[in-house]
Amino acid sequence: MGDHVELVAGCYEQIVFGYRVYPGDKEWAIEPNFTHHAHTASLTSVSSSDQFIATGSKDETIQLYDMSKKTEHGALLLHNGTISCLEFYGTSHLLSGGQDGLICVWSTKKWECLKSLNAHKGRVTSLSVHRSGKLALSVGTDKTLRTWNLIEGRSAFIKNLKQNAEIVLWSPDGDQYAVVGNDRVDIYILKSATITGTIAFTQRISCVKFLKNTLLAVGGNDESVRIYDVTSQKCVCEFKAHENRVKAIESFMKDDFCVLVTASNDGFIKLWKLNLENLETPSLLGQVNTTARLTCLSIWKPGEAKETSTEQSAQPEASIAVVVLPKPAKGKRVRLPGEEVILEESSSTKEGKKKKKQKAQ
């Protein structure tokens, strides 16, 4: 991986900020790179692929921005109400969840909605795609945790929760997942779909990030970030990160250490150096004051030179197959019209409705 890293943040003030990170010996420089003002209301979510960023807002639109050209790339208009969560899967798909209870699966080739799932009664609060692309998890304001079979585009499992959950997140290896409800994080094992332990935080949680399979960083309604051992659920590191509540946590690896990126209501984005093998209080690498009330954060890295490759190093061979399957399953005919691969079942599951309301350039 090269050293090219950009931080992309959204705020209440409708703006998307882009900053280029320049690693230094002691202090890292964080230079403004672009701002994008396509939304007409506050931003709720941002996600990155190796070419695009997608942002969601209370203005009911998903705006696309081409990071390689630094130009806007149109909007996806299908949800009614606030866009609550967005997640790219590799370079091929984008998933969106909204206040309308829908989860939409978009192809990034032509920006078509391949599938629209009636996911929750009430709002979809969070979604997470398994690294294989075969499963997704979602939580909503109907007190359910739902597992989606993305190969067939249908619900696979519904678990009733005691309270609403705000965040769901797969671990990097995909063997476990975290479900956040108010001030606690339940860690589930995928194999048994049961809770293996619970992390008790000190107040309402706003963001969680797996730094590796066994370490989870948690931020919430105060200034500190706490890092927990997922296996023992004990706090192994705690530090004051900001002057106000922490809104977003991301991370990336650089050489042999982890760079923790935090964003806060205080307007600052900060980079912290953290040794995952020997957890001491992280040191501040650099910071930038956006002067805005930040709501969401993503890390963007450009793709490798071979742009056309569908096999990315980061993703295993399987991919979301609501429409795309690498190999046709036995006994199923796959036809290739000009636009996409449609898996044909015995005519019972033909998707007739093609919703096309978005403008993409």
Side-chain angles (χ1 to χ4, degrees):
M1 145 202 154
D3 276 343
H4 188 159
V5 172
E6 295 190 34
L7 312 175
V8 181
C11 64
Y12 282 108
E13 290 83 359
Q14 308 174 6
I15 309 278
V16 181
F17 298 97
Y19 294 91
R20 173 89 187 254
V21 175
Y22 295 94
D25 291 340
K26 288 208 169 65
E27 198 178 336
W28 288 24
I30 305 170
E31 302 289 343
N33 199 3
F34 70 91
T35 57
H36 185 43
H37 189 175
H39 288 290
T40 56
S42 61
L43 273 84
T44 53
S45 49
V46 56
S47 182
S48 311
S49 72
D50 65 2
Q51 183 181 356
F52 297 101
I53 57 168
T55 52
S57 163
K58 289 187 173 170
D59 67 9
E60 310 189 8
T61 71
I62 299 166
Q63 298 286 339
L64 301 169
Y65 189 76
D66 187 327
M67 288 292 283
S68 53
K69 302 191 180 96
K70 295 286 187 279
T71 55
E72 61 180 275
H73 197 74
L76 307 180
L77 314 170
L78 194 150
H79 288 281
N80 290 310
T82 299
I83 310 296
S84 46
C85 43
L86 291 168
E87 188 178 320
F88 276 102
Y89 175 74
T91 54
S92 58
H93 296 80
L94 171 69
L95 276 78
S96 61
Q99 193 178 4
D100 52 12
L102 292 182
I103 290 177
C104 297
V105 181
W106 305 86
S107 156
T108 61
K109 301 291 173 281
K110 290 190 172 182
W111 296 107
E112 287 173 311
C113 178
L114 304 173
K115 187 85 182 173
S116 153
L117 303 164
N118 288 309
H120 291 273
K121 297 177 179 70
R123 185 160 71 86
V124 180
T125 44
S126 177
L127 61 84
S128 186
V129 184
H130 191 265
R131 65 194 294 264
S132 66
K134 294 175 179 176
L135 290 177
L137 296 169
S138 68
V139 290
T141 52
D142 55 1
K143 294 185 184 168
T144 63
L145 163 66
R146 295 178 187 242
T147 308
W148 301 94
N149 173 337
L150 292 177
I151 303 293
E152 296 170 22
R154 61 174 175 81
S155 172
F157 191 69
I158 300 173
K159 182 174 174 61
N160 292 308
L161 304 173
K162 291 189 174 67
Q163 60 174 8
N164 283 325
E166 289 83 43
I167 304 170
V168 62
L169 183 65
W170 286 105
S171 64
D173 63 9
D175 291 343
Q176 50 190 355
Y177 50 93
V179 176
V180 176
N182 198 15
D183 59 353
R184 30 188 295 146
V185 187
D186 288 327
I187 305 293
Y188 285 77
I189 299 287
L190 168 62
K191 277 201 175 79
S192 57
T194 53
I195 297 174
T196 163
T198 297
I199 291 167
F201 199 59
T202 49
Q203 67 267 303
R204 189 175 176 82
I205 295 167
S206 56
C207 47
V208 292
K209 170 74 183 175
F210 279 97
L211 306 181
K212 60 180 187 178
N213 293 314
T214 52
L215 287 178
L216 186 74
V218 183
N221 275 359
D222 75 355
E223 308 87 29
S224 41
V225 168
R226 292 177 180 83
I227 298 168
Y228 291 86
D229 179 306
V230 174
T231 314
S232 69
Q233 295 96 48
K234 288 190 167 58
C235 180
V236 289
C237 175
E238 178 184 347
F239 64 101
K240 180 183 171 180
H242 291 275
E243 297 302 322
N244 204 321
R245 62 178 184 263
V246 180
K247 290 291 284 190
I249 301 175
E250 287 292 338
S251 72
F252 60 94
M253 295 303 293
K254 169 82 173 79
D255 303 328
D256 56 348
F257 59 88
C258 171
V259 179
L260 198 66
V261 188
T262 60
S264 162
N265 244 26
D266 66 9
F268 279 87
I269 302 174
K270 298 187 183 184
L271 302 181
W272 307 88
K273 181 177 183 176
L274 191 64
N275 181 344
L276 296 184
E277 304 312 312
N278 177 18
L279 281 169
E280 293 167 353
T281 304
S283 55
L284 185 65
L285 288 170
Q287 60 179 7
V288 61
N289 185 3
T290 65
T291 72
R293 290 171 299 161
L294 300 175
T295 56
C296 50
L297 173 71
S298 184
I299 289 163
W300 180 80
K301 292 177 189 166
E304 306 302 316
K306 47 179 196 303
E307 292 261 284
T308 50
S309 157
T310 50
E311 285 282 301
Q312 293 151 271
S313 53
Q315 301 288 357
E317 65 290 339
S319 67
I320 289 178
V322 172
V323 266
V324 191
L325 264 192
K327 292 192 280 288
K330 284 200 294 283
K332 292 181 181 175
R333 202 159 48 81
V334 175
R335 62 185 167 89
L336 287 111
E339 36 185 64
E340 72 235 46
V341 185
I342 294 175
L343 197 67
E344 286 201 323
E345 303 253 312
S346 55
S347 79
S348 59
T349 55
K350 284 245 177 24
E351 277 291 341
K353 45 184 196 301
K354 274 272 178 290
K355 286 187 178 167
K356 247 188 116 175
K357 243 176 74 182
Q358 69 277 12
K359 57 175 204 311
Q361 294 163 358

